[in-house]
Amino acid sequence: MEDYSKLRAYTLVSTSISIFLYGFSVTLGSLLTQISFYPKSMELYLLIEPPVSLLLGNFLFSYVADKYGRKPVLVITPILFSIGILLFLLFNPYISLIGIGLFLFSIAGGDEPAIISYLTENLSANDRGRFIMLITNFVNIGALLSSIIFIFLENYTIIKLTITFILILSLTSSYFFRKKLPESKVWVLSNSKNISFINENHKRILPLILISISTILTYGLISWVIGPYYYPNLTYYIVFLFNLGNIAGGLLGYFIISKIKRTSFTLFGFFGGSLTSLILLLIVHSFNNYILFLSLILTNGIFTQLTWGTRLVLEGELLRTKYRATGISVVRASGWIIYIFSAIFTYSFSIAFFQIYDILFWIIGLLGSALWYTYGFDTNNLQIIKLDEINL
């Protein structure tokens, strides 16, 4: 597949569907907390099992992607996902939960480091930032559709069959396009280089880790946790509106990320997210108005996606090809681990302390983006080969 436009088209379609499956599946844990089929005692498991599965999948498939190539991961993970569908269909809540875990372990997020690596290496410098922003926005489209199903369908059997139909259709479509993709030439060329992630410059990695922690926590706490813990009757609507805001943020990011410096774009996203989170805290405790609350949830989602999408762009650009997928999984691991403990830790928090806790992670991201703005460099429109050569 030598024609770049054809390669780009196949890459965009296959990876967009995969990211869609990620968003559709990762939200199921939060949404299913309101289904009586799953005992109340399973609530915490429903909230932490998806990120645990993601974390394990990230580490396994990132190693495979760097050791054996991006293409093997793109072919193997759909097989595991299909097994997850079979387990999800069984009418046992615990086995069904294992099925959801397999979704996230495999094609629905577990292989994301390999996908981000493939996109970074195969999209042109002009396309890279905006198309990664566009493709990763499908995580929000998947989450939005998932919430719509739960809002409009009441019978769990019908919900489960609808989910299964969408999963099978999306998986089949993604696999059709994935198998046509060639191996990443940039990865093939990097195989001869003897470099290690351990020797990476801390000025490049520290801001990225802080940004990663912030984006994972600020998205996860609002999208998945705040509803089941504090507003169970509004859980579906919080997921819907928050991800609607995320979709708007993703589209905004698509149009502007390549027009300004990455350093400025990142700082802008975290400043806006911190500000809207603070206003949300003040509104909730000054006015008992759900319309204001939900409106701010939507607005906060815009900045959440600006920062989430930017983080994925920077993960690909700031880590060298030789260990790009592994580096992505290592950088984001701290974020997922802190989220898992936070879901447990905040269970007994009041809503005020929960929101303050969320704001603290926005501040961490603001610090990381300020560090990158001060000490980093602009990656916009730089060829990936050139980025590999840069050593801060």
Side-chain angles (χ1 to χ4, degrees):
M1 193 183 295
E2 296 298 328
D3 181 17
Y4 173 69
S5 60
K6 186 176 181 180
L7 171 63
R8 185 179 65 179
Y10 274 76
T11 301
L12 294 183
V13 173
S14 63
T15 54
S16 295
I17 297 173
S18 299
I19 298 298
F20 166 84
L21 282 170
Y22 173 12
F24 189 85
S25 302
V26 78
T27 312
L28 290 177
S30 178
L31 297 172
L32 289 171
T33 60
Q34 307 307 305
I35 299 295
S36 58
F37 175 73
Y38 295 88
K40 185 67 176 177
S41 59
M42 288 185 66
E43 182 176 77
L44 193 55
Y45 295 101
L46 286 165
L47 294 176
I48 66 173
E49 194 248 14
V52 169
S53 301
L54 272 173
L55 186 62
L56 295 175
N58 277 190
F59 274 114
L60 174 62
F61 295 117
S62 63
Y63 171 79
V64 174
D66 283 340
K67 181 73 173 178
Y68 302 104
R70 317 310 190 200
K71 182 68 180 285
V73 174
L74 301 181
V75 175
I76 294 170
T77 49
I79 299 171
L80 293 173
F81 190 89
S82 63
I83 298 172
I85 293 177
L86 294 175
L87 295 177
F88 176 70
L89 273 173
L90 297 178
F91 281 88
N92 179 292
Y94 297 96
I95 296 177
S96 182
L97 186 58
I98 293 172
I100 295 172
L102 267 179
F103 296 162
L104 278 307
F105 176 75
S106 58
I107 193 176
D111 64 350
E112 192 188 27
I115 287 177
I116 297 301
S117 298
Y118 193 90
L119 290 172
T120 301
E121 294 157 11
N122 290 280
L123 292 173
S124 70
N126 292 331
D127 287 341
R128 189 177 60 239
R130 61 195 183 97
F131 278 113
I132 290 178
M133 184 67 75
L134 180 67
I135 291 166
T136 55
N137 201 19
F138 276 82
V139 73
N140 306 307
I141 296 172
L144 184 81
L145 180 58
S146 192
S147 66
I148 289 173
I149 291 171
F150 281 80
I151 289 172
F152 288 101
L153 300 179
E154 296 182 359
N155 184 283
Y156 180 58
T157 301
I158 296 175
I159 290 175
K160 178 173 276 196
L161 291 175
T162 304
I163 290 171
T164 302
F165 172 76
I166 292 172
L167 293 177
I168 293 174
L169 180 63
S170 303
L171 176 67
T172 305
S173 303
S174 177
Y175 186 76
F176 173 79
F177 288 100
R178 277 182 171 218
K179 70 178 183 179
K180 294 179 178 292
L181 294 175
E183 183 55 85
S184 168
K185 290 182 179 179
V186 177
W187 172 81
V188 172
L189 292 173
S190 76
N191 248 357
S192 60
K193 298 176 182 178
N194 186 24
I195 55 177
S196 170
F197 175 72
I198 297 174
N199 298 325
E200 184 56 271
N201 195 307
H202 69 277
K203 289 183 181 179
R204 185 192 295 256
I205 299 302
L206 179 59
L208 199 53
I209 290 176
L210 294 176
I211 289 170
S212 179
I213 290 171
S214 176
T215 54
I216 290 171
L217 268 293
T218 53
Y219 181 94
L221 290 174
I222 301 301
S223 185
W224 306 325
V225 177
I226 197 173
Y229 282 9
Y230 304 102
Y231 305 99
N233 293 333
L234 293 175
T235 295
Y236 301 159
Y237 298 97
I238 288 172
V239 173
F240 173 82
L241 289 171
F242 185 64
N243 283 284
L244 185 62
N246 273 266
I247 291 170
L251 292 174
L252 176 64
Y254 169 76
F255 286 110
I256 67 175
I257 192 171
S258 295
K259 299 183 186 303
I260 60 177
K261 291 182 177 181
R262 296 273 202 272
T263 49
S264 302
F265 185 86
T266 309
L267 190 62
F268 164 73
F270 279 104
F271 178 79
S274 302
L275 183 61
T276 54
S277 294
L278 182 60
I279 295 173
L280 184 61
L281 172 66
L282 297 174
I283 289 292
V284 166
H285 300 286
S286 301
F287 305 94
N288 188 19
N289 189 314
Y290 283 142
I291 294 177
L292 277 174
F293 169 70
L294 293 173
S295 298
L296 281 166
I297 286 285
L298 187 149
T299 306
N300 188 247
I302 294 173
F303 291 101
T304 302
Q305 178 57 27
L306 287 177
T307 56
W308 182 284
T310 307
R311 187 253 300 177
L312 296 178
V313 172
L314 290 177
E315 281 179 341
E317 292 179 334
L318 300 183
L319 295 163
R320 291 177 174 83
T321 301
K322 178 71 175 179
Y323 51 76
R324 178 168 289 118
T326 303
I328 290 172
S329 66
V330 171
V331 163
R332 61 176 56 173
S334 53
W336 287 119
I337 291 170
I338 294 172
Y339 167 78
I340 292 164
F341 281 103
S342 295
I344 301 170
F345 181 60
T346 59
Y347 191 78
S348 59
F349 274 22
S350 68
I351 181 61
F353 277 115
F354 182 89
Q355 288 183 273
I356 291 170
Y357 188 73
D358 176 65
I359 291 171
L360 288 176
F361 287 105
W362 274 111
I363 293 172
I364 288 173
L366 189 59
L367 173 62
S369 62
L371 286 173
W372 187 247
Y373 181 85
T374 305
Y375 300 106
F377 62 96
D378 184 28
T379 57
N380 194 9
N381 289 327
L382 289 179
Q383 295 289 341
I384 197 62
I385 302 298
K386 177 66 175 177
L387 286 170
D388 272 354
E389 294 173 353
I390 293 176
N391 185 22
L392 286 177

